[in-house]
Amino acid sequence: MTIINDLRSAICTSFKGAYALNDLAHQETHFEEVFQCGKHINKTLGFNFRERDILFAAYFHDMFAWSRNNHHILSKVWFQTTDHPLVVDTYKDKDHFRTQVAFACGEHRASFKGNFTYAFSELINSADRGFPGDIPAMVERSRLYWLTHRPNMSDDERMAGVIAHLKEKFGRNGYARTPKMWKVAFKDQLEARIECIENL
């Protein structure tokens, strides 16, 4: 665990400036939630994905979230090609793990429609959906996004937009992809989450 804590600390220190460019919904709090959810799914479903790979994917998948349209592509290409010592030293002689993390960054979005290149991509895509019972956290994260991008709205207008967005994305007929891994890991809570969102 010390190695993971040291890596997390090094990542946060090294990339603080890059993260600062993102809106408030795509900061270290979100990255840590993705990491914790990824670890949970990994353990619950009996996978053997490396914890450090989950950490790297969680902390780099949204590194370029200031560019909403192609941030996933930027993250994938950056992770594949960077010569940053943290990445190079961690993945020395282990290119297949680095490639899996890069593809997971590129395939993490809820709107991703293709087939996952690796099972690890599905794990990270699932982890990015978050723990299903934490609706207040989903509302708050969406509110922070809207606060950054629509600062001139009234609080009531902003909250109406947040609720409409969550229903459109995660409601009963929402467009967000729900990966099989996520459904299996959280099957007992999925319907309750949908109902909660529909009743917002």
Side-chain angles (χ1 to χ4, degrees):
M1 191 60 168
T2 304
I3 292 171
I4 293 297
N5 289 339
D6 289 348
L7 271 176
R8 182 197 288 109
S9 179
I11 290 168
C12 292
T13 299
S14 297
F15 295 95
K16 184 176 181 178
Y19 296 158
L21 299 175
N22 291 348
D23 61 71
L24 296 174
H26 296 89
Q27 299 286 336
E28 291 168 30
T29 300
H30 170 59
F31 306 152
E32 185 62 20
E33 288 169 353
V34 173
F35 176 51
Q36 295 301 328
C37 189
K39 288 199 305 177
H40 174 82
I41 296 170
N42 193 37
K43 182 178 179 181
T44 300
L45 300 187
F47 293 126
N48 196 29
F49 295 116
R50 299 188 325 167
E51 193 168 314
R52 75 173 55 179
D53 295 333
I54 299 171
L55 178 77
F56 272 81
Y59 275 78
F60 289 115
H61 76 287
D62 275 339
M63 187 167 75
F64 301 98
W66 50 264
S67 176
R68 295 303 299 147
N69 291 332
N70 68 343
H71 73 282
H72 56 300
I73 297 168
L74 294 173
S75 293
K76 176 187 174 186
V77 172
W78 181 86
F79 202 84
Q80 281 179 310
T81 61
T82 184
D83 60 357
H84 193 284
L86 265 176
V87 177
V88 172
D89 292 347
T90 300
Y91 291 95
K92 197 178 297 177
D93 302 323
K94 296 183 176 104
D95 282 347
H96 59 293
F97 289 117
R98 182 171 174 175
T99 298
Q100 285 185 55
V101 172
F103 272 85
C105 290
E107 298 173 355
H108 79 269
R109 297 185 72 171
S111 57
F112 178 71
K113 301 298 183 191
N115 295 319
F116 293 111
T117 306
Y118 300 100
F120 185 73
S121 289
E122 185 175 353
L123 176 81
I124 298 305
N125 188 291
S126 298
D128 197 37
R129 307 289 75 79
F131 289 100
D134 202 353
I135 305 300
M138 291 176 73
V139 170
E140 177 60 9
R141 187 163 173 256
S142 186
R143 187 190 73 80
L144 290 172
Y145 177 86
W146 280 63
L147 188 62
T148 301
H149 294 280
R150 294 174 176 83
N152 296 324
M153 279 185 163
S154 71
D155 289 342
D156 288 343
E157 289 174 319
R158 190 176 298 113
M159 191 52 68
V162 165
I163 291 169
H165 170 72
L166 289 176
K167 288 183 177 184
E168 178 186 4
K169 188 171 182 179
F170 298 110
R172 191 161 304 283
N173 297 308
Y175 70 82
R177 179 176 190 165
T178 307
K180 183 178 179 182
M181 279 185 197
W182 196 92
K183 288 178 181 175
V184 173
F186 298 113
K187 60 184 176 184
D188 297 335
Q189 302 165 63
L190 180 54
E191 183 57 32
R193 181 176 101 147
I194 292 172
E195 283 298 319
C196 257
I197 290 170
E198 289 292 337
N199 290 329
L200 285 172

